[in-house]
């Protein structure tokens, strides 16, 4: 079938919305009509590095409605509302023990541009077009492997969920999964973007007593207070960020969360950690950072780099949807919708800090 997709023909270039051909789903695959897809910094990383070969259709936070199901697919049917996440092999020791985020085949399945059989379902003028995360959901339709799908409640606006399969999972998932944040504890959250805001909301859900947001944008600090931060620190206007956190917490934080990837923020996160403090780095920056192990030793600090929250999406996404229904996870305060034709504007607005989480709506 002919579909519309945003095709990247040139590393570092602009995506072009064009007609491409989409093949039928194979036995283990499903055809999804995409309703909305979040814009994530990782899409830009792939655009700039060419890590997935071109031509490629980016977009890895799709949400939509199933139109067709392959013959071997179990548990899904036409009309189901689904959130798309990453692909996993479903057979390795990690996939079979609810740890698909460290699947043996995670890299090739999500960044080779191909489906499990090594081919792509999208072609243009007879040439294969790659997809990112096994979905390429900056498109009106997508054929995905069944491992990529999470069924969600039809009561929740499916367009709103077009940001949950990666960005919000990376943030809130880290709180519920990797850090497993406990009630009556303290956390500092460094840099406020979509990922961090979702972490902040999750920390509130977990009953954190002290939630400190560290950021420079006054509007975002204001929103952090509205969403559950108990303290905010504008690092641009604060001489001693670590000292401020110590004043608030006494011996330092139980948890720290950084999505900025910036050396200065990671330094603060480590130095402001208290005894047995745990620091989660979630930002996908490519550069090296420096740490001083000696400075971490006496408090026995653990530093972890986290992929997709280190939580099974089959657990996280339905749970997050439940919290949305209960009004505890108000992601609508972070999202702004854009038309498909305005995809590049959505990226620009995210980069310039005008929009926290852009979500692109597909034409009906
Ligand atoms: Zn696996
Ligand atoms: Zn992402």
């Amino acid at each position: 079938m002919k579909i519309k997709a945003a095709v990247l023909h040139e590393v570092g270039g602009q995506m072009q919305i064009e007609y491409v051909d989409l093949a039928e789903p194979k036995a283990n695959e499903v055809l999804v009509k995409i309703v909305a897809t979040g814009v994530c910094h990782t899409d830009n990383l792939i655009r700039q590095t060419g890590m997935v070969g071109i031509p490629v259709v980016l977009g890895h936070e799709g949400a939509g409605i199933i139109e067709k199901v392959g013959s071997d697919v179990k548990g899904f049917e036409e009309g189901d509302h689904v959130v798309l996440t990453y692909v996993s092999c479903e057979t390795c020791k990690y996939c079979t023990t609810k740890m698909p985020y460290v699947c043996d085949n995670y890299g090739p399945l999500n960044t080779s541009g191909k489906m499990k059989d090594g081919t792509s379902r999208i072609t243009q003028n007879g040439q294969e077009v790659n997809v990112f995360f096994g979905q390429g959901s900056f498109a009106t339709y997508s054929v995905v492997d069944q491992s990529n799908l999470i069924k969600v409640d039809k009561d929740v606006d499916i367009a709103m969920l077009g940001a949950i399969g990666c960005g919000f999972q990376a943030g809130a998932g880290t709180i519920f999964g990797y850090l497993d944040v406990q009630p009556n504890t303290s956390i500092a959250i460094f840099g406020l973007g979509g990922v961090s805001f979702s972490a902040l909301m999750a920390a509130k859900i977990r009953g954190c007593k002290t939630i400190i947001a560290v950021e420079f944008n006054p509007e975002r600090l204001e929103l952090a207070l509205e969403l559950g931060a108990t303290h905010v620190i504008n690092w641009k206007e604060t001489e001693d960020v670590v000292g401020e956190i110590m004043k608030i917490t006494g011996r330092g934080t139980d948890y720290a969360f950084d999505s900025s990837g910036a050396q200065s923020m990671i330094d603060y996160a480590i130095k402001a950690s208290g005894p047995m403090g745990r620091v989660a780095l979630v930002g996908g920056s490519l550069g090296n950072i420096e740490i001083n192990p000696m400075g971490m030793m006496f408090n026995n600090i653990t530093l972890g780099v986290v992929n997709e929250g280190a939580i099974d999406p089959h657990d996280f996404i339905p749970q997050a949807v439940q919290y949305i229904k209960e009004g505890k996870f108000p992601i609508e305060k972070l999202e702004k919708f854009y038309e498909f034709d305005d995809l590049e504007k959505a990226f620009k607005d995210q980069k310039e800090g005008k929009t926290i989480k852009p979500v692109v709506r597909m034409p009906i």
Side-chain angles (χ1 to χ4, degrees), residues 88-95 100 103-105:
S88 51
C89 79
E90 298 185 294
T91 55
C92 75
K93 75 171 180 177
Y94 301 104
C95 282
C103 169
D104 281 349
N105 302 293

Side-chain angles (χ1 to χ4, degrees), residues 241-263:
V241 171
V242 174
E244 282 300 311
I245 296 174
M246 288 299 173
K247 257 191 240 167
I248 297 164
T249 57
R251 278 197 66 190
T253 54
D254 298 308
Y255 309 98
F257 178 101
D258 176 77
S259 67
S260 72
Q263 177 78 54

Side-chain angles (χ1 to χ4, degrees), residues 217-229:
N217 178 328
E219 282 169 28
R220 293 195 180 192
L221 288 168
E222 198 61 43
L223 181 60
L225 286 169
E226 193 190 314
L227 295 176

Side-chain angles (χ1 to χ4, degrees), residues 4-7 15-19 138 339-343:
K4 267 187 167 180
V7 187
M15 290 175 265
Q16 310 293 334
I17 297 176
E18 297 168 341
Y19 283 104
F138 289 145
E339 297 303 317
F340 192 23
D341 285 339
D342 294 329
L343 176 63

